[in-house]
Amino acid sequence: MADSGAAGNGFLGPVAGAGHVRAWLFSTDHKRIGLLYLTCILVMFVVGVLLGLAIRLELIAPGETIMGAQTYNAVFTLHGVVMIFLVVIPSIPAAFGNIILPLHIGAEDVAFPRLNNFSWWLYVIGACIAVSALFTGDGPPDTGWTFYVPFSAVTTTNVGLAVTAVFILGFSSILTGLNFIVTIHRLRAPGMGWGRLPLFVWTLYATAWIQVLATPILGITALLIVAERVLGMGIFDPARGGDPILYQHLFWIYSHPAVYIMILPAMGVVSEIIPVFSRKRIFGYGTIAASSLAIAFAGSLVWAHHMFTSGMSDTAVLVFSLLTFVVAIPSAVKVFNWVATLYKGAIRLEPPLTFALCFVFLFCVGGLTGLVLGSAGTDVHVHDTYFVVGHFHYVIFGGTGFGLFGAMHYWFPKIFGRMYDRRRANASALILAVGLNVLYFPMLILGLQGMPRRYYDYLPQYTDMHVVSTVGSWIVAVGLALMFWNLWRGLRAGQRVGANPWGAATLEWTLSSPPPHHNFAREPVVTAGPYEFAEVRLDDA
Amino acid sequence: MDDGGRHHVLPYRLLVGVWGGLLTLTGITVWASTIDFGFLNVVIALTIATSKALLVVLVFMHLRYENRTFHAMVLTAFVILAIFIGFTFFDTAYR
Amino acid sequence: MTHEVQPDYIGAKMGMWLFLFTEILLFGGLFVLFAVHLSRYPAGFHAGSATLSVPFGSANTVVLITSSLTMALAVTAVQRGERRRTLALLGATVGLAGVFLINKFFEWSAKFQHGIYPGSEHMLEMEKGQAAFYAMYYAMTGLHGLHVVIGMCVIAWVMGLVAAGRVHRDRFVTLENAGLYWHLVDLVWIYLFPLFYLVT
């Protein structure tokens, strides 16, 4: 990576007695595995972004502009599959969870390092299969990322291969979650009680439980689609006693909790960043930690709010609508705590905080529009419209995406021992936030006006908003390009930094930047909480 | 609590006893199925199956001798499974 | 007393239990479907269940429970340092698993001969409830059978480790974890047996 002496390169430097590529690909070092994940995730993210830009470009005018209807179906399916299963779900837990979790709790590594490497390989295999579904068989899948039956059981496109990829990726996700739970239970340093865990660890813990308990349902659903296609099983086919709505139940039993796999770790990142740059202890540590677990639990009770118009019973609509509102409570608890932490803090508007603040704003928009969808009456009106698309992207791009970018900027100096240009980073955050609103807010309006999602064509009266939205996608592209270019420059030629450039109080900042191959020369003994800044000094050079 | 007495060597005799219990319960469930209790048949069959499952989990799988963390984890998993099955009936039972 | 201490014995077992949870929920998805179908088509399930052979199913239950016993005994044996007995008990477990599969093979092929298999003509024109019963039957016993095969491979691999002296009285967590997996396979069958063969 960098060119100077191996001693200053920490874990990025060469390993004794091993070839360079081999030492990375088969590394059992959690920091290296985390970086491998991050690299793959960013590559897939770029693929997903390009597909998204293509979708927006097609929609800039009614009728066919750059692709036909069938291609459009394949492109939005692929955008969904790539972004959900290859980018967003593994993004923060697999990349930053791996790099940071053991450092946060003062451990040498995760509980099962070899399993950790294996789950990265599963991810790579899953990614390869997902991509190969494009070029083999009878064309790329065109079902949308939800693979709803009966269409997914009868379409001639390459659905079988795609759901196989989903199955393997799910397995990879399960193994990561399993590893984290055991790590958090077994490998905390002396003195690191549950009340002293950094909040990022709490969110990873909650996330890991969802990964372990919900992902298998996705696995069996994927297997059943294959059985349906290959064997003609008939479990979801009404003509043979099956029920397609049961498919939706199974699918959402996983996929609703999965959105908490996506958002919870981002909330954890924000909970780390805000106190550091306010130089103030986090407000309500206990409630934030508890609300993470509460979100994870409540999130597994609400799946059927995706199915209000599917024809399920009115009783279920009522129950699931009510429960959906319950999930809003712990989410709001977090937002209030973050704001209270900022209040009267000594705020330094460094790039990580800029991303975190954008996160809070965008997540609020996403969360509140979610309540519009969760209430049964309004959902009938906006179901399967652009309102859903807008809401979802506010949460996932504005939430998870900004959480990921915030994490990248926050831990960048720790991982690479160098600093990027901070003003440029702040600028990229603002461009992204503006672009995101221009891109997705018109979608909320379009949805209320009745524009259905997943259509490649539309009536002329929707043109204006679609044009605005497409322009927004270009602004976002500019912001992303600036951000990545700035980080890349920082990586190559950024200023060297010391151990603790932000003045943070968690354990990873006590190590050199980048951390050495073996995390802690001596096992740390923890005597204070993660947000006690009184003793901490900024170490800038 | 964590490491004390970590090797619970279960006597052969206890294991064989549990096996005998499992076989007896299997016999009872087969016999009970020959009598028509209507819907209660399902309830009886599942109750017996659950007692068998408890025997396997607690003794054969040593859960009885594990610490409280393990107990809480296993309970969590089964509660979540019960929610997944039970809540689906908010739909299918009222359709 | 120990010359080679197991690296985090409790952590390894905790990892295995977590993995078992994923297996339970994998089957859990099918149990969701089964429960719904059973409540919707009680008559069809009654009729379907009546065509399965209770003696065959009971015999398989006894076989599987016994294999669970030999597995549990093997854990005790290895803890006591009785290597040969451990190997014999593990061998018996694999053998019983084989008997279970052979039994299952005869049951399935009998159904196949009557034209009852997924996607067959006969199943397409069958009454809906009964068709749903057979679909669930093949999905669940099929997935369970796959787990039996995997379990056999795992136990055979552990036998190799015991024979090579890499699993012994001071370092047996691999064997214990294989045992946990095998008991789970038994556990699933404990529910499958009454649900398919006896609920009439």
Side-chain angles (χ1 to χ4, degrees), chain A residues 110 155 176 181 218 262 269 312 347-348 382 386 416 488 503:
Chain A
V110 292
T155 176
T176 303
I181 293 177
L218 176 74
M262 306 177 199
V269 170
M312 71 174 182
I347 291 175
R348 288 172 294 147
V382 290
Y386 263 63
F416 298 108
W488 179 249

Side-chain angles (χ1 to χ4, degrees), chain A residues 217-218 220-221 224 236 245-255 303, chain C residues 28-30 32-33:
Chain A
I217 306 278
L218 176 74
I220 192 69
T221 315
L224 286 172
F236 301 126
I245 294 181
L246 283 180
Y247 172 85
Q248 298 188 19
H249 275 295
L250 283 191
F251 181 81
W252 289 113
I253 282 177
Y254 165 74
S255 294
W303 72 85
Chain C
L30 288 170
V32 170
L33 297 176

Side-chain angles (χ1 to χ4, degrees), chain A residues 181 185-186 205 209 213 217 243 245-246 249 253 297 300-301 303 311-313 315-316 319-320 323, chain B residues 2-3 67 69 73-74 76-77 79-81 83-95:
Chain A
I181 293 177
H185 269 280
R186 300 294 305 164
Y205 185 69
W209 273 105
L213 293 181
I217 306 278
D243 181 353
I245 294 181
L246 283 180
H249 275 295
I253 282 177
F297 178 72
S300 56
L301 309 175
W303 72 85
M312 71 174 182
S313 81
T315 314
V319 172
F320 283 103
L323 288 168
Chain B
D2 237 9
D3 256 30
N67 64 35
T69 313
M73 285 181 169
V74 176
T76 310
V79 166
I80 294 290
L81 175 61
I83 288 171
F84 288 165
I85 297 177
F87 277 36
T88 308
F89 277 84
F90 281 125
D91 171 18
T92 54
Y94 295 96
R95 222 190 275 165

Side-chain angles (χ1 to χ4, degrees), chain B residues 2 10 12 15 19 50 66, chain C residues 10 13 76 82 85 191:
Chain B
D2 237 9
L10 299 188
Y12 290 130
L15 297 173
W19 174 70
T50 304
E66 306 287 2
Chain C
I10 292 179
K13 251 198 312 189
T76 297
E82 300 164 343
R85 186 176 275 176
Y191 281 94

